[in-house]
Amino acid sequence: MSSSPSPKKASKLKTEDQLGPVSEHYEFGGPPGALFVTLTVPLFSYLLFYGCSPELGCSPTLPLRDPKLLWATLKYGVLDSFKDLDAWLIYFGWYAFTVLAWAILPGKWERGSELRIGGRLEYKINAFATMLASLAITAGLIVVKGPQGFTFLYDHWAGLVTASIANSVIQAVYCYAVSFQEGKLLALGGNSGNVLYDWFIGRELNPRIGSFDIKTFNELRPGLILWILLDISCACHQYISLNGRLTDSMWLVCAFHTWYVLDALYNESAIFTQMDITTDGFGFMLSVGDLTWVPFVYSLQARYLAFKPVDLGVAGTIGILAVNAIGYYIFRDANGEKNDFRNGSNPKKLKYMTTSTGRKLLTSGWWGRSRHPNYLGDWIMAWAWSLPTGFETPIPYFYVLFFAILLVHRQMRDDEACQKKYGKDWDRYCKLVRSRIIPGIY
Ligand code: NDP
């Protein structure tokens, strides 16, 4: 285990000002913005379920054409979902399984990024093993009980959404409450003094129970893996309703999503340098994002195909595979260039500039074409995940739109943070590399 100081030990040497200075400004539009996101994320999680369903169809004009029907379905559906005891048991059973897997599956301990008070935390690396164990159990269930043995996630969808929202609220409240204990290292942006805002944005930087790190755990395991299990459950539903057949579109969506999650979990330690881990506290924004939004909204295409099968044919399949391959290549190559560089190697001999902080910034390769080339690759993949659903309705393309907004907002937050970190050197970099995400366009 760690030889470096834990924040608690280090905190004895630090003043309250260093551990939790009062935040200088609001993000996300301050408390009104926090309230807006707090209400709209759960609302949209339900709306995309009830407003895109075998019963009501999947039309973006439904809220205008038949608002009463939609709101009644939503209201009674959500109320009923609270009473779905099976869903609560499945969801919290699943969550407990992922915690147990973290505790008992083997994994080496790795040190995270340097904390601003000095020292590094240690993290157990076994998210990939948890994913493999989950897939093995799922495969076992399907082999033994048949596809009908794994449709229970699809069947209890709304109840699972409700249970996950409850889990997100509980965790955000718990983390907010314990952040007032003495010696806690707070996120620089999470200590405004406004209760709603701080609860939403996350007050404590790295809430932990012993060596169990709540933030990284939730970012990578229960939500991301559940997303893939939901996809598989949708595929099982489709297989049964098509009398023993899966469409090429369903294969593509499940394969793309699974590959993306396996890739993220295989490169688990890459998360330590991400903004969510280094800068953001753990509040409702991250808990509901990780535990509800990712699994239940990112699987929208698979759920749509479960009740609206689409056959692409060979040309369509090859075309979409090509779109995903291009996106993945940019995403992986750009992230690889930066990770190699930040880990002290530069195999492609890329050009770079040295900032007055001593840290260097790449100025050629992908990072010479735009300031967030990895976001571009990620967004191209988002298209490849939605195209298999065809063109009957734009609803399964919700992810493409939402993800564009998320990435542009993230780019603005990161550019602002880099401007603070590197000052005039960042301005120099921006003059050299003018595009923010899409070279020559944005
Ligand atoms: P990045 O991986 O883009 O990292 C940004 C950091 O990189 C900066 O803060 C800076 O940190 C460093 N950097 C910036 N420019 C340079 C340069 N020229 N040379 C070297 N280092 C540079 O950000 P994220 O953490 O936002 O994203 C990581 C990945 O996760 C992305 O691929 C993104 O698409 C993906 N993602 C996916 C989401 C999803 O829901 N599917 C959500 C969010 C992200 P420093 O200088 O301090 O090292």
Side-chain angles (χ1 to χ4, degrees):
M1 290 280 293
S2 176
S3 57
S4 53
S6 73
K8 208 164 181 185
K9 279 182 205 153
S11 71
K12 293 201 175 126
L13 311 168
K14 306 284 163 189
T15 67
E16 281 304 311
D17 277 356
Q18 287 166 304
L19 289 171
V22 175
S23 304
E24 285 167 12
H25 67 278
Y26 285 135
E27 290 186 281
F28 290 91
L35 182 64
F36 176 77
V37 180
T38 297
L39 298 177
T40 49
V41 167
L43 176 70
F44 266 81
S45 305
Y46 287 122
L47 204 53
L48 288 167
F49 175 73
Y50 291 110
C52 182
S53 64
E55 295 79 28
L56 292 191
C58 208
S59 161
T61 56
L62 183 69
L64 300 172
R65 265 191 299 119
D66 215 336
K68 276 196 187 143
L69 176 66
L70 179 63
W71 286 112
T73 311
L74 195 60
K75 184 173 144 195
Y76 292 111
V78 173
L79 286 176
D80 276 351
S81 75
F82 274 88
K83 298 178 205 149
D84 184 352
L85 184 64
D86 287 348
W88 289 89
L89 290 173
I90 295 166
Y91 181 78
F92 282 99
W94 160 250
Y95 198 87
F97 165 78
T98 55
V99 176
L100 190 69
W102 171 85
I104 63 174
L105 290 179
K108 58 182 175 154
W109 288 83
E110 275 189 27
R111 302 172 88 207
S113 302
E114 170 126 18
L115 299 168
R116 69 170 194 273
I117 54 166
R120 291 169 196 263
L121 296 170
E122 293 221 330
Y123 300 86
K124 191 171 182 186
I125 304 291
N126 63 1
F128 190 69
T130 304
M131 170 90 177
L132 295 184
S134 310
L135 289 178
I137 294 169
T138 305
L141 254 178
I142 295 173
V143 168
V144 173
K145 294 186 144 194
Q148 57 278 12
F150 202 67
T151 51
F152 58 88
L153 297 179
Y154 179 85
D155 297 335
H156 290 277
W157 199 281
L160 294 169
V161 171
T162 300
S164 75
I165 294 172
N167 191 16
S168 312
V169 173
I170 293 167
Q171 295 207 32
V173 169
Y174 168 80
C175 290
Y176 179 75
V178 296
S179 73
F180 288 93
Q181 289 172 358
E182 202 191 330
K184 296 285 188 178
L185 176 64
L186 305 186
L188 289 177
N191 190 25
S192 71
N194 181 291
V195 177
L196 171 70
Y197 181 81
D198 292 350
W199 167 80
F200 168 79
I201 205 88
R203 198 162 178 273
E204 187 178 349
L205 186 60
N206 302 298
R208 291 190 147 207
I209 300 173
S211 55
F212 178 78
D213 189 89
I214 296 174
K215 185 165 63 170
T216 47
F217 177 82
N218 283 320
E219 286 263 303
L220 289 177
R221 295 150 193 253
L224 269 182
I225 303 173
L226 182 58
W227 167 19
I228 302 311
L229 301 188
L230 287 165
D231 273 9
I232 296 172
S233 190
C234 293
C236 288
H237 179 89
Q238 190 198 61
Y239 186 85
I240 294 163
S241 51
L242 293 184
N243 297 317
R245 184 173 81 86
L246 274 185
T247 59
D248 43 15
S249 53
M250 183 63 100
W251 275 112
L252 282 189
V253 165
C254 290
F256 290 159
H257 290 175
T258 306
W259 181 260
Y260 188 78
V261 173
L262 283 172
D263 180 85
L265 301 192
Y266 187 74
N267 296 296
E268 183 174 357
S269 52
I271 198 177
F272 299 150
T273 55
Q274 284 195 14
M275 194 194 305
D276 303 10
I277 305 304
T278 56
T279 315
D280 294 333
F282 186 73
F284 187 66
M285 177 180 79
L286 283 186
S287 67
V288 79
D290 295 341
L291 301 174
T292 301
W293 193 258
V294 166
F296 296 100
V297 173
Y298 285 22
S299 52
L300 177 63
Q301 299 101 359
R303 201 177 68 80
Y304 175 78
L305 291 172
F307 61 85
K308 268 271 176 197
V310 172
D311 287 304
L312 297 166
V314 177
T317 304
I318 293 175
I320 294 170
L321 274 170
V323 175
N324 197 64
I326 293 168
Y328 181 73
Y329 170 69
I330 299 174
F331 170 80
R332 200 28 57 236
D333 209 37
N335 278 323
E337 282 181 1
K338 181 164 70 76
N339 288 347
D340 283 344
F341 191 63
R342 283 286 173 251
N343 291 330
S345 70
N346 184 1
K348 293 189 189 169
K349 308 252 176 301
L350 299 170
K351 287 190 204 147
Y352 57 86
M353 57 180 263
T354 305
T355 68
S356 57
T357 64
R359 248 171 119 74
K360 300 177 172 87
L361 292 169
L362 287 166
T363 55
S364 72
W366 285 109
W367 300 83
R369 293 185 189 112
S370 88
R371 302 204 291 270
H372 290 91
N374 46 356
Y375 291 1
L376 171 64
D378 223 341
W379 193 59
I380 293 174
M381 282 193 280
W383 278 98
W385 300 355
S386 300
L387 285 168
T389 61
F391 302 106
E392 205 173 288
T393 166
I395 299 274
Y397 289 78
F398 174 81
Y399 176 67
V400 174
L401 176 69
F402 151 77
F403 203 43
I405 296 169
L406 179 143
L407 291 175
V408 168
H409 182 246
R410 208 172 162 91
Q411 165 264 312
M412 293 193 298
R413 288 183 78 206
D414 191 56
D415 277 13
E416 198 182 315
C418 286
Q419 216 292 325
K420 268 196 192 145
K421 216 178 331 179
Y422 299 119
K424 287 205 171 101
D425 292 318
W426 185 254
D427 299 337
R428 202 153 55 91
Y429 173 62
C430 293
K431 273 196 189 127
L432 278 173
V433 182
R434 292 192 173 271
S435 299
R436 286 163 281 202
I437 298 178
I438 309 177
I441 296 178
Y442 173 78

